[in-house]
């Protein structure tokens, strides 16, 4: 895979479900600043993931965890990460189903909506990472055309009111930093730990660091702009109350009593980014499982693991509110902080000490 393909996949991945939800709205009109700081702080962790990759450029994390921690502990930790990827994929799949039901198909069962997308994803995974990357290249351009058109339409509709963004830092910096360290640092930026499962396929390892940082920078800026628009159009309270603020914003577009009801196009853009996010998490789970349990043909695992993700997405929460609460509060502290922030630096420390011993000896 080329660096540009990984760059495109990373941007699509990070935009994924982050475009859907009222990201960092606990920081009120400073939500955009919380996203920006989350992106900046995430660079430190991205450099940790990259350094681990440099120590073991040809190995998947499921392999190098065993090298670093020993066979038993390494296998257990690798298995935990595979479960995390599957859980994360099921959460994003649930986001997709809820969005589809809320806006277009209120009478369709959630299972049907999720199952249809899952079937397409299983088919894509069976075709391999190159097919996912090429699809990304095509759909990335399409997404940006839609985004640019939407931005122009929102501006020309005269909907933007910058007063909604004032006062900046009304309650000081502390509430913003609290949101950074409880939300935006992990979702969506450090979720790119999933790319450690894909970096060994990169044809030019020297470009890995630049690709990671540039892709996170671009998607961070996109999310900042999205949140600035949402808050300036809807206001803080409406953005916070809206289940999917970006779609609410798009629904307000009205140009010359002619251009309206444009949410269909934006549903398309959101479905594209969500599709790639689930694809990459699912692919990491399939490849990791095949590697860990020495399965010769990884594509064989796509059906059973796909079914597990599908059923998880339905059973994960009984309603939307519970699903959102679980994502922002429970998963954040039980999964994201240990798996994305604490364990990788510890792995890097052990790897550093082992390598120093080896070279010293």
């Amino acid at each position: 895979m080329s660096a540009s393909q990984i760059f495109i996949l990373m941007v699509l991945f990070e935009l994924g479900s982050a475009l859907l939800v009222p990201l960092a709205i606990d920081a009120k009109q400073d939500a955009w600043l919380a996203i920006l700081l989350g992106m900046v702080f995430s660079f430190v962790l991205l450099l940790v993931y990259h350094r681990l990759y440099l120590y073991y450029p040809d190995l998947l994390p499921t392999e190098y965890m065993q090298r670093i921690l020993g066979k038993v502990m390494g296998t257990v930790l690798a298995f935990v990460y595979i479960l995390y990827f599957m859980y994360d994929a099921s959460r994003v799949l649930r986001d997709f189903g809820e969005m589809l039901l809320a806006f277009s198909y209120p009478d369709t069962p959630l299972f049907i909506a999720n199952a249809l997308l899952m079937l397409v994803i299983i088919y894509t995974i069976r075709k391999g990472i190159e097919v996912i990357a090429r699809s990304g290249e095509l759909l990335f351009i399409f997404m940006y055309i839609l985004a640019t058109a939407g931005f122009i339409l929102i501006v020309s509709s005269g909907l933007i009111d910058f007063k909604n963004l004032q006062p900046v830092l009304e309650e000081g910096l502390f509430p913003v930093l609290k949101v950074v360290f409880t939300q935006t640092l992990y979702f969506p930026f450090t979720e790119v730990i999933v790319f450690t499962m894909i970096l060994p396929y990169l044809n030019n390892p020297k470009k890995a660091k630049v690709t990671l940082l540039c892709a996170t920078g671009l998607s961070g800026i996109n999310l900042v702009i999205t949140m600035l628009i949402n808050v300036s159009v809807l206001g803080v309270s409406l953005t916070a109350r809206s289940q999917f603020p970006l779609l609410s914003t798009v629904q307000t577009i009205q140009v010359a009593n002619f251009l309206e009801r444009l949410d269909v196009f934006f549903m398309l853009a959101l479905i594209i980014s969500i599709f790639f996010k689930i694809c990459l998490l699912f692919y990491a789970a399939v490849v990791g499982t095949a590697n860990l349990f020495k399965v010769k043909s990884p594509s064989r695992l796509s059906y059973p693991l796909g079914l597990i993700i599908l059923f998880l997405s339905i059973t994960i929460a009984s309603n939307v509110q519970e699903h959102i609460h679980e994502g922002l509060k429970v998963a954040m502290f039980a999964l994201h902080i240990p798996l994305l922030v604490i364990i990788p630096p510890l792995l890097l420390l052990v790897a550093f000490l082992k390598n120093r011993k080896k070279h010293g000896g």
Side-chain angles (χ1 to χ4, degrees):
M1 286 177 73
S2 68
S4 64
Q5 286 176 322
I6 286 192
F7 173 83
I8 285 169
L9 288 178
M10 270 190 80
V11 174
L12 289 170
F13 177 89
E14 289 188 39
L15 294 177
S17 49
L19 283 173
L20 259 188
V21 293
L23 189 62
I25 198 61
D26 290 353
K28 298 183 179 159
Q29 66 268 28
D30 297 319
W32 63 273
L33 186 58
I35 297 169
L36 192 65
L37 291 174
M39 176 192 85
V40 173
F41 288 131
S42 75
F43 286 164
V44 179
L45 288 162
L46 292 186
L47 292 172
V48 171
Y49 307 158
H50 175 255
R51 191 73 210 161
L52 277 166
Y53 162 67
L54 285 187
Y55 275 132
Y56 308 99
D58 303 321
L59 298 183
L60 289 169
T62 43
E63 289 172 295
Y64 68 60
M65 282 173 190
Q66 294 175 49
R67 288 252 182 119
I68 296 170
L69 298 174
K71 188 80 176 160
V72 179
M73 273 182 73
T75 304
V76 170
L77 186 62
F79 188 62
V80 167
Y81 273 95
I82 289 165
L83 291 177
Y84 168 70
F85 294 145
M86 289 173 68
Y87 171 77
D88 209 8
S90 68
R91 290 203 61 78
V92 182
L93 185 59
R94 178 65 178 256
D95 286 333
F96 161 81
E98 294 290 0
M99 175 192 75
L100 215 57
L101 266 55
F103 275 86
S104 306
Y105 305 102
D107 300 325
T108 307
L110 181 66
F111 178 80
I112 300 296
N114 287 6
L116 287 170
L117 182 65
M118 206 62 216
L119 280 171
V120 179
I121 288 169
I122 289 171
Y123 175 76
T124 313
I125 294 295
R126 289 179 70 81
K127 294 287 175 196
I129 191 72
E130 291 87 357
V131 171
I132 300 172
R134 288 196 192 115
S135 316
E137 286 176 314
L138 282 172
L139 294 168
F140 183 73
I141 299 161
F142 175 65
M143 247 191 94
Y144 266 84
I145 291 168
L146 282 179
T148 311
F151 182 71
I152 292 164
L153 286 170
I154 288 168
V155 172
S156 55
S157 297
L159 295 166
I160 291 178
D161 181 4
F162 287 115
K163 284 183 187 153
N164 288 332
L165 296 168
Q166 295 168 344
V168 177
L169 294 177
E170 185 180 10
E171 293 165 25
L173 194 58
F174 181 72
V176 176
L177 288 175
K178 188 184 169 193
V179 173
V180 170
F181 291 110
T182 55
Q183 289 178 32
T184 53
L185 177 59
Y186 321 109
F187 173 74
F189 300 115
T190 46
E191 281 183 314
V192 296
I193 194 167
V194 72
F195 279 84
T196 54
M197 301 292 286
I198 294 162
L199 284 176
Y201 302 115
L202 182 62
N203 58 15
N204 186 352
K206 286 179 185 161
K207 290 185 177 172
K209 187 201 256 176
V210 176
T211 308
L212 280 170
L213 297 178
C214 289
T216 301
L218 178 62
S219 46
I221 289 161
N222 287 343
L223 290 169
V224 165
I225 292 168
T226 303
M227 211 56 205
L228 281 169
I229 289 171
N230 285 341
V231 174
S232 57
V233 171
L234 301 172
V236 172
S237 62
L238 200 57
T239 307
R241 287 202 308 273
S242 174
Q243 199 179 331
F244 308 118
L246 182 60
L247 283 163
S248 304
T249 302
V250 170
Q251 284 178 325
T252 59
I253 293 175
Q254 198 172 12
V255 180
N257 293 327
F258 161 63
L259 273 173
E260 48 185 58
R261 295 294 300 169
L262 296 166
D263 37 333
V264 175
F265 293 106
F266 292 88
M267 288 272 288
L268 272 175
L270 289 167
I271 289 167
I272 289 167
S273 57
I274 283 173
F275 167 79
F276 280 102
K277 186 161 188 176
I278 301 171
C279 257
L280 291 160
L281 286 162
F282 184 26
Y283 180 80
V286 167
V287 171
T289 309
N291 179 263
L292 201 58
F293 297 105
K294 307 287 181 281
V295 178
K296 286 280 185 284
S297 169
S299 59
R300 268 198 211 151
L301 295 166
S302 55
Y303 287 115
L305 294 186
L307 282 172
I308 293 168
I309 289 170
L310 175 59
F311 284 108
L312 248 183
S313 74
I314 309 295
T315 54
I316 217 162
S318 52
N319 55 43
V320 191
Q321 283 70 32
E322 193 181 311
H323 168 65
I324 290 168
H325 171 77
E326 191 182 304
L328 290 178
K329 302 287 186 288
V330 184
M332 206 61 78
F333 294 101
L335 295 171
H336 289 94
I337 294 177
L339 293 178
L340 307 183
V341 180
I342 298 169
I343 292 172
L346 290 175
L347 282 174
L348 182 60
L349 181 66
V350 179
F352 169 72
L353 293 172
K354 278 198 167 184
N355 278 281
R356 205 172 63 166
K357 252 187 219 167
K358 204 185 289 175
H359 294 305

